[in-house]
Amino acid sequence: MLRDARENYPAWLDSIARASRSIHFESYIIHDDDVGEQFARALIAKAGDGVRVRVIYDWLGGFGKTSGRFWNTLRAGGVEVRCYNRPHPGSPFGWISRDHRKMLTVDGTVGFVTGLCVGRAWVGDPVRGISPWRDTGVEVRGPAVLRIEEAFAHMWA
């Protein structure tokens, strides 16, 4: 059990740093701030090492929070990025369907399922007396990681 961003983010970044084959990362919101940039750098570094890195974000979750420059930087760094359910004229109410899942798997051996998105807002600010966003995550190892990867593959498709 990982209690909040102070426990989740270091575990995620450590697993990303250890990746040798694949990283699958799905998040409703990834902010274009110092925390989002830290994750972007980690993902781009692994893509540069030849690790297959795939990211799914939700269009509505990222709207107004994450710039096109952020996603383009990931793509230019070798990260495969997909946006879930971007609006289009053929489906005027399609935007109602959201991908609110937050998960990460690395090499099919470790997975994380959580309620946390990625950004400074989830870290808190001890100087100003703001605690981290309280949202528990779970680190998963063993055969159950396959189920997390299957859920990612379904959304990716």
Side-chain angles (χ1 to χ4, degrees), residues 24 26 56 99 101 103 105 113 144-157:
H24 299 138
E26 185 175 357
I56 302 172
D99 177 8
R101 184 179 305 145
M103 57 74 56
T105 62
V113 178
V145 175
L146 176 62
R147 296 292 186 212
I148 302 169
E149 290 212 317
E150 287 171 348
F152 179 88
H154 175 76
M155 194 60 70
W156 186 262

Side-chain angles (χ1 to χ4, degrees), residues 9 11 22 48 50-51 53 55 64 69-70 79 90 94 96 100 117 128 136:
Y9 290 176
S22 66
V51 174
V53 181
V55 173
R69 178 201 56 79
F70 181 89
V79 176
I96 294 171
H100 207 261
C117 294
R128 294 179 23 214
T136 301

Side-chain angles (χ1 to χ4, degrees), residues 79-152:
V79 176
E80 298 174 65
V81 178
R82 290 197 180 165
C83 177
Y84 177 79
N85 214 12
R86 185 183 319 268
H88 57 88
S91 179
F93 296 106
W95 64 271
I96 294 171
S97 175
R98 305 287 22 110
D99 177 8
H100 207 261
R101 184 179 305 145
K102 296 103 175 165
M103 57 74 56
L104 168 69
T105 62
V106 175
D107 294 339
T109 61
V110 62
F112 299 89
V113 178
T114 182
L116 290 169
C117 294
V118 174
R120 168 70 36 211
W122 285 271
V123 175
D125 185 350
V127 173
R128 294 179 23 214
I130 301 171
S131 298
W133 188 286
R134 179 65 174 92
D135 225 329
T136 301
V138 179
E139 180 176 331
V140 179
R141 294 187 180 267
V145 175
L146 176 62
R147 296 292 186 212
I148 302 169
E149 290 212 317
E150 287 171 348
F152 179 88

Side-chain angles (χ1 to χ4, degrees), residues 10-27:
W12 301 356
L13 289 165
D14 181 61
S15 290
I16 289 168
R18 295 172 187 269
S20 62
R21 293 186 319 276
S22 66
I23 297 169
H24 299 138
F25 188 37
E26 185 175 357
S27 186

Side-chain angles (χ1 to χ4, degrees), residues 31-97:
H31 276 261
D32 188 354
D33 62 13
D34 61 318
V35 174
E37 291 292 335
Q38 182 180 15
F39 275 88
R41 285 191 304 273
L43 295 169
I44 290 168
K46 293 317 291 188
D49 290 344
V51 174
R52 185 172 192 194
V53 181
R54 300 191 300 175
V55 173
I56 302 172
Y57 71 95
D58 185 86
W59 174 82
L60 187 62
F63 185 76
K65 298 170 190 74
T66 313
S67 68
R69 178 201 56 79
F70 181 89
W71 303 120
N72 290 336
T73 298
L74 282 174
R75 288 181 181 104
V79 176
E80 298 174 65
V81 178
R82 290 197 180 165
C83 177
Y84 177 79
N85 214 12
R86 185 183 319 268
H88 57 88
S91 179
F93 296 106
W95 64 271
I96 294 171
S97 175

